[in-house]
Amino acid sequence: MTNATDLVPQLLAWYERSARDLPWRRTQDPYAIWISEVMLQQTQVKTVLPYWRRWMRTLPTVRALARARLDRVLKLWEGLGYYRRARQLHQAAQAIVSQHDGRLPATYRQLVALPGIGAYTAGALCSIAFDQPVPVLDGNVCRVLTRLEAIRAHPRQARVARRLRALAADYLARAARVGPGACGRWNQALMELGALVCVPRQPDCARCPLSRWCKARRLGLVERIPRVTPRPAPLVRHVVALVIRRAQTVLVRRRPAGAVNGGLWEFPSLEVSGAEFDPKAVARGLLGYQPSNLISLRPLRHQITRYRITLHVFHHTVPPGFQAPAALGQWRRTDRLEGLPFARAHRRIAATLE
Ligand code: SF4
């Protein structure tokens, strides 16, 4: 481990000077910190800011979240993606009310027992909200530590991961001696340095408070550390969505719990094997009859994790007396769709109808 006698105060002082002024950093409320940490997973700060503010205005406490209907929770999350996070926040809030009297528990062991709280979130909560010396190892911290120590092996290797955990714990133990609040500040300082200075490509070493201790910089290895796994090529998928209309209403259905985007609403859809498909045959499969009027709308393209999806959208007005099978969902007025939580691509379809 690098001689950390001066390193710790240097990084803490840099954090005092340079940290972004974010609303969840102005509070010690564990609930507010928890919501921010979950929203920030795989999502940028500038995207999270308006969501976090709206969430805290609408559901300001664990009890308010536990009482809320899932539709309301998902609506607040609409557009943030990875909806499992919202469902698990809801489940965890209910568990906190029933098992911990509505207060987030203050131990790592109790936190990781809650739905959706893993090692990272528990570490962040223990250190930031409860000032406990529990390290965090997200992508930013891994990058800073592997460069600081010039670790060339892949951080996912078990022995490297163990070494990183030990390093993070050692630095944090030193930081904890600085005084009250230092555990949270130290972990946030490492993450902030990785987010602002020690970025994946072209880190700003000239402005880095750790540059004089950084072995990767000294050895000219900065651009080669950490080792990364190349991303797999995206998988292409095609889905047909039908806007099935009757007067001022359309059919929409809720995706089943446990499915991708479970609990969100969508227009009746069916995955097809490629871009070449017979729209009438697909529509017949959904509707149960051969539709005579089927109007093609502009396809929508979006990416979810490693899937690049084209949504082929068709509009159809049902004949008089059509009885919709339960699998197609419920009739909803087009001017009332705003209140329902939709997955992003289906929200774009709904927006064209509203
Ligand atoms: S000197 Fe450069 S590579 Fe080393 S920790 Fe700082 S920003 Fe990262």
Side-chain angles (χ1 to χ4, degrees):
M1 181 179 162
T2 299
N3 182 341
T5 315
D6 299 325
L7 181 154
V8 166
Q10 280 285 342
L11 184 59
L12 288 173
W14 172 85
Y15 183 67
E16 289 298 313
R17 284 194 311 274
S18 313
R20 289 166 290 183
D21 180 20
L22 302 173
W24 47 85
R25 288 185 176 157
R26 288 183 227 133
T27 175
Q28 279 305 112
D29 175 7
Y31 171 71
I33 294 167
W34 174 40
I35 300 301
S36 73
E37 287 297 338
V38 176
M39 285 186 172
L40 286 165
Q41 289 163 18
Q42 285 144 330
T43 313
Q44 293 185 348
V45 165
K46 70 174 189 306
T47 307
V48 165
L49 277 166
Y51 279 91
W52 183 86
R53 289 195 178 104
R54 195 162 48 118
W55 182 290
M56 292 306 298
R57 272 198 310 274
T58 315
L59 303 172
T61 62
V62 173
R63 287 186 190 281
L65 171 55
R67 273 196 310 266
R69 286 179 38 237
L70 181 60
D71 252 6
R72 191 157 186 238
V73 174
L74 290 172
K75 184 69 195 169
L76 285 168
W77 204 271
E78 189 184 72
L80 261 187
Y82 301 99
Y83 293 89
R84 193 154 169 249
R85 295 180 293 174
R87 288 192 298 274
Q88 289 183 326
L89 275 174
H90 192 223
Q91 291 161 7
Q94 290 170 340
I96 293 166
V97 168
S98 64
Q99 296 163 22
H100 303 285
D101 196 26
R103 272 192 290 274
L104 264 145
T107 70
Y108 182 88
R109 192 179 50 78
Q110 289 173 310
L111 285 166
V112 290
L114 292 167
I117 298 194
Y120 168 77
T121 310
L125 278 168
C126 284
S127 58
I128 301 169
F130 304 120
D131 195 22
Q132 295 168 6
V134 182
V136 293
L137 265 181
D138 70 346
N140 286 327
V141 175
C142 276
R143 190 165 56 253
V144 173
L145 293 180
T146 50
R147 284 175 173 168
L148 198 56
E149 296 294 323
I151 299 173
R152 299 178 212 210
H154 200 294
R156 290 238 180 97
Q157 282 182 21
R159 69 181 172 80
V160 179
R162 271 199 304 277
R163 185 170 168 204
L164 288 172
R165 274 198 299 276
L167 270 173
D170 279 352
Y171 279 121
L172 181 58
R174 288 167 188 251
R177 290 185 215 123
V178 169
C183 294
R185 275 186 287 128
W186 172 259
N187 279 346
Q188 290 183 93
L190 271 180
M191 291 190 272
E192 193 77 342
L193 189 75
L196 300 182
V197 178
C198 193
V199 292
R201 267 177 239 111
Q202 298 180 328
D204 193 353
C205 299
R207 278 184 45 231
C208 176
L210 305 186
S211 61
R212 56 191 246 242
W213 293 277
C214 180
K215 293 178 185 164
R217 188 182 193 207
R218 199 159 59 234
L219 297 169
L221 294 171
V222 167
E223 294 291 346
R224 285 158 55 191
I225 293 178
R227 281 262 293 279
V228 289
T229 313
R231 283 183 184 211
L235 296 174
V236 174
R237 294 170 69 174
H238 293 268
V239 176
V240 171
L242 276 190
V243 179
I244 305 168
R245 192 150 193 154
R246 184 180 72 186
Q248 299 308 312
T249 61
V250 287
L251 279 172
V252 287
R253 65 187 183 188
R254 193 204 291 261
R255 290 183 61 78
V260 175
N261 292 341
L264 293 174
W265 291 75
E266 65 174 10
F267 293 88
S269 311
L270 198 65
E271 181 157 4
V272 290
S273 57
E276 303 301 321
F277 59 91
D278 176 358
K280 287 196 172 173
V282 177
R284 188 174 62 235
L286 282 163
L287 292 162
Y289 63 87
Q290 178 92 4
S292 55
N293 60 62
L294 201 60
I295 299 164
S296 174
L297 306 179
R298 200 158 55 89
L300 302 173
R301 293 186 176 82
H302 61 292
Q303 183 143 357
I304 302 177
T305 58
R306 62 201 184 99
Y307 299 109
R308 191 174 289 161
I309 301 169
T310 302
L311 196 60
H312 304 268
V313 188
F314 293 87
H315 186 283
H316 170 64
T317 302
V318 298
F322 171 70
Q323 295 294 321
L328 285 185
Q330 309 163 13
W331 294 107
R332 293 291 177 111
R333 287 179 54 120
T334 53
D335 59 357
R336 300 273 168 80
L337 298 177
E338 176 56 31
L340 299 177
F342 279 92
R344 191 189 290 264
H346 289 258
R347 162 56 59 206
R348 284 163 68 192
I349 302 174
T352 65
L353 305 172
E354 287 157 4

